[in-house]
Amino acid sequence: MFFLSHIWLIPLLPALGAATMFFFGRKLQKSTVNAVCVGVVVIAFLLACGAVWQYSDYSRHNPGKPYENILYTWLGSDTGHLTYLKHDGTPARFQADAGFLLDPLSGIWLLFVTGVGMLIHIYSTGYMAHEGGYYRFFGYLNLFMFSMLTLILGNSYALMFVGWEGVGLCSYLLIGFYFHRKSATDAANKAFIVNRIGDAGFLLGMFTIAWYFGSFRLTEVTELARSGKFSIGDPIITAATLLLFVGACGKSAQLPLYVWLPDAMEGPTPVSALIHAATMVTAGVYMVARSNALFVLAPTSMKTVAIVGTLTAIFAATIALVQNDIKRVLAYSTVSQLGYMFLALGIGAFAVGVFHVFTHAFFKALLFLGSGSVIHAMSGEQDMRNMGDLHKRIPITHRTMFIATLAIAGIFPFAGFFSKDEILWQAWSAEGGAYRFLWLVGYGTAVMTAFYMFRLMYLTFHGRPRMSHEVEHHIHESPKSMTVPLVILAFFSLFAGFLGWPQSQKARQRSWRQEQRKRRIPVARNIF
């Protein structure tokens, strides 16, 4: 079980890459920077695949049990002298471990964060080839990966918060990468300040949980929440989950804290892809999904999550309809899709919300990297009104972005169809007539999404050419370091949805019988 027992290497490797850049990067050649920064992410991805593969075997022998690897006591004391009183007056030891947790939820995040992050790193070697501060950019990217991996693998709310703050810091550094531009520094400051509001909610919620449950550890809090000792609608749990959701609204750009995300487009395009597809904005969704045992005890919080997510989805979609900057269309699209995810979480369809995060990671990364390829071909132009007739000039970019557009529009059999359709079905099937209204809003949002994405494709790739003759003369397809990641992401945008294809009744029955034979338990016929 080498990969599981050494799961701590997965976040450590990008941290080492970042440290190398910050201390020695100025003296390194670009080829060396590529080898170090891309190499550590590739190795981290391979280790992640190995860890998830070994966990699948571990879970067969330990059904429903997450794998936890505790390295040492980080906060508190093992002596038992450092205590405080819980809500019921019983003493509790203040302690948080430096430990890592792997289960199906963190496993799926681990795979797409390292996988999509690896492709974005490879793409960046071509996109940033002629930019200044090359080593600094890749150092920030590696630090971003370390922070996100710490967030999703941390075994406690305290360690999750370390990663939470880390991705906030990295977003500030990367959005303001072009610090000589006032618009970039203003956007970075805006992202940092708005997220501090959300972080205050997260902190208050985390401390409330520690006081009420007597532990920061995720497995202990989940076990206690499911023990039946707490009533549904418990006011303290409701308050704690609402505070956690404030933090999620900040990181995942929900109303009213969405305002920082569109301005985050001031950073380089690979940064936009990393923030929107694999790292920062999915952190809020992860935290709510991770805290599902608490949220199901707080119906008021669940309804709040569903309503805020639905309103955010349609609100952002209406703004995306009239944007002319290609990256801002995609930015508001991300805000809208995150609203879809929170709608799913709010109606209790946690697995469906996570599935949409998974499919969204591929087609949104593809759309952002494709837009970067367009901007690269157009010599920095981002206004779609100054584009047109590019489909023959940059054919790989056009074809891959078209696949991503079909996916986000929810066209069968592309990936987005499976996750969005399931969210709408769960909203329709939820108990209570009011949820039918959420379904209606979600359906309207899906129609708007298809409209503004096909508008983007038409203005960018079709119609008459509207660029200047000088720009038109220099239009060319991007290098392979940029187009190969586009093709890989297009493949997953097409086929990733089939991973959520429901099993047939016969397949479930056959799988169940095989499992019983392994355990040497007699199989009853027609049990289904």
Side-chain angles (χ1 to χ4, degrees), residues 217-279:
R217 189 177 294 182
L218 295 168
T219 52
E220 291 180 358
V221 172
T222 300
E223 185 178 353
L224 284 170
R226 292 174 176 169
S227 65
K229 297 178 180 179
F230 301 91
S231 61
I232 295 177
D234 185 300
I236 303 299
I237 295 178
T238 299
T241 49
L242 286 174
L243 287 168
L244 290 179
F245 184 57
V246 171
C249 285
K251 275 291 183 288
S252 296
Q254 298 297 285
L255 287 172
L257 301 180
Y258 75 95
V259 293
W260 68 271
L261 191 56
D263 291 341
M265 300 303 97
E266 291 292 336
T269 301
V271 173
S272 304
L274 194 60
I275 290 176
H276 288 249
T279 54

Side-chain angles (χ1 to χ4, degrees), residues 271-293:
V271 173
S272 304
L274 194 60
I275 290 176
H276 288 249
T279 54
M280 184 166 173
V281 297
T282 67
V285 182
Y286 175 80
M287 186 261 287
V288 174
R290 172 59 71 193
S291 307
N292 67 86

Side-chain angles (χ1 to χ4, degrees), residues 19 45 71 159 214 239 271 303 309 351 358 375 386 428 435 440 481 522:
F45 172 67
L71 302 180
L159 198 56
V271 173
K303 291 175 183 176
F358 176 72
I375 295 167
N386 298 325
W428 177 270
Y435 288 105
L440 182 62
S481 60

Side-chain angles (χ1 to χ4, degrees), residues 227-513:
S227 65
K229 297 178 180 179
F230 301 91
S231 61
I232 295 177
D234 185 300
I236 303 299
I237 295 178
T238 299
T241 49
L242 286 174
L243 287 168
L244 290 179
F245 184 57
V246 171
C249 285
K251 275 291 183 288
S252 296
Q254 298 297 285
L255 287 172
L257 301 180
Y258 75 95
V259 293
W260 68 271
L261 191 56
D263 291 341
M265 300 303 97
E266 291 292 336
T269 301
V271 173
S272 304
L274 194 60
I275 290 176
H276 288 249
T279 54
M280 184 166 173
V281 297
T282 67
V285 182
Y286 175 80
M287 186 261 287
V288 174
R290 172 59 71 193
S291 307
N292 67 86
L294 298 176
F295 275 86
V296 296
L297 293 175
T300 300
S301 299
M302 295 281 284
K303 291 175 183 176
T304 302
V305 172
I307 292 170
V308 171
T310 305
L311 293 178
T312 303
I314 193 166
F315 176 75
T318 58
I319 301 176
L321 291 172
V322 294
Q323 296 298 308
N324 294 313
D325 185 310
I326 187 171
K327 288 175 66 177
R328 289 183 77 86
V329 173
L330 299 177
Y332 282 109
S333 170
T334 300
V335 177
S336 181
Q337 296 304 306
L338 288 165
Y340 257 105
M341 298 167 198
F342 281 109
L343 167 60
L345 299 179
I347 59 179
F350 294 100
V352 180
V354 171
F355 184 42
H356 192 50
V357 175
F358 176 72
T359 60
H360 178 264
F362 297 114
F363 57 71
K364 185 52 61 70
L366 175 53
L367 286 169
F368 268 110
L369 297 185
S371 70
S373 183
V374 170
I375 295 167
H376 180 79
M378 293 289 297
S379 304
E381 179 60 66
Q382 295 184 199
D383 194 326
M384 297 183 296
R385 293 172 296 183
N386 298 325
M387 298 180 187
D389 195 37
L390 296 178
H391 65 288
K392 294 181 180 178
R393 306 168 194 242
I394 47 174
I396 298 176
T397 302
H398 169 249
R399 291 167 189 164
T400 53
M401 281 193 72
F402 185 60
I403 290 173
T405 298
L406 293 172
I408 195 173
I411 306 298
F412 181 83
F414 297 88
F417 164 81
F418 295 92
S419 53
K420 292 177 76 171
D421 183 71
E422 184 67 17
I423 290 173
L424 292 175
W425 170 248
Q426 293 289 345
W428 177 270
S429 305
E431 293 183 9
Y435 288 105
R436 295 290 173 92
F437 177 73
L438 299 184
W439 168 86
L440 182 62
V441 176
Y443 186 84
T445 303
V447 174
M448 291 183 187
T449 302
F451 179 85
Y452 66 67
M453 286 308 305
F454 282 106
R455 172 180 175 266
L456 179 150
M457 290 298 295
Y458 179 79
L459 289 177
T460 303
F461 294 102
H462 301 281
R464 63 179 181 83
R466 298 178 298 277
M467 69 288 293
S468 65
H469 291 295
E470 182 180 356
V471 171
E472 186 175 11
H473 180 69
H474 290 94
I475 293 175
H476 59 283
E477 185 61 275
S478 299
K480 287 186 177 181
S481 60
M482 295 170 65
T483 55
V484 170
L486 295 182
V487 173
I488 295 173
L489 289 168
F491 173 84
F492 285 103
S493 298
L494 176 57
F495 294 109
F498 287 99
L499 295 175
W501 190 274
Q503 278 188 308
S504 67
Q505 185 75 1
K506 289 183 178 179
R508 288 198 299 270
Q509 185 175 356
R510 184 167 55 251
S511 176
W512 183 85
R513 286 179 175 173

